[in-house]
Amino acid sequence: MARTWYAYNGIGLARDSGSYIYSPVPPLCTAGWDLCAVYAEYSGSLPASISNNLRLYIAAGRVTGLPQPQTPPGSKKFVYMKP
């Protein structure tokens, strides 16, 4: 299934797909301590789901302040953070 960027709306839990809105452009944010956006399975205005992997990446981003995943080096980022 195709993936696209969804911006976190700051309302509700990061694990709930209803807490995101479709973004027609990639995010400009990359690092910081607040969740910015996730790269999730496309399902219209809301992501199809927030997978277990995305949840782990979100948790790692909140701990490190860095886009995730960090390993292996050069891997596609699925979670971006913001200041």
Side-chain angles (χ1 to χ4, degrees):
M1 183 173 241
R3 292 183 179 270
T4 193
W5 285 104
Y6 287 92
Y8 179 58
N9 65 16
I11 302 169
L13 301 173
R15 68 176 184 228
D16 296 334
S17 60
S19 297
Y20 297 86
I21 188 165
Y22 169 75
S23 175
V25 297
L28 295 177
C29 53
T30 56
W33 299 107
D34 292 320
L35 181 58
C36 179
V38 298
Y39 195 60
E41 289 185 13
Y42 179 76
S43 181
S45 61
L46 301 175
S49 69
I50 303 302
S51 69
N52 287 334
N53 278 346
L54 275 178
R55 291 177 189 188
L56 292 173
Y57 296 155
I58 290 167
R62 288 184 165 165
V63 171
T64 64
L66 299 172
Q68 296 297 323
Q70 285 292 305
T71 57
S75 60
K76 169 72 177 165
K77 305 303 183 218
F78 287 85
V79 172
Y80 280 168
M81 308 301 288
K82 66 181 178 181

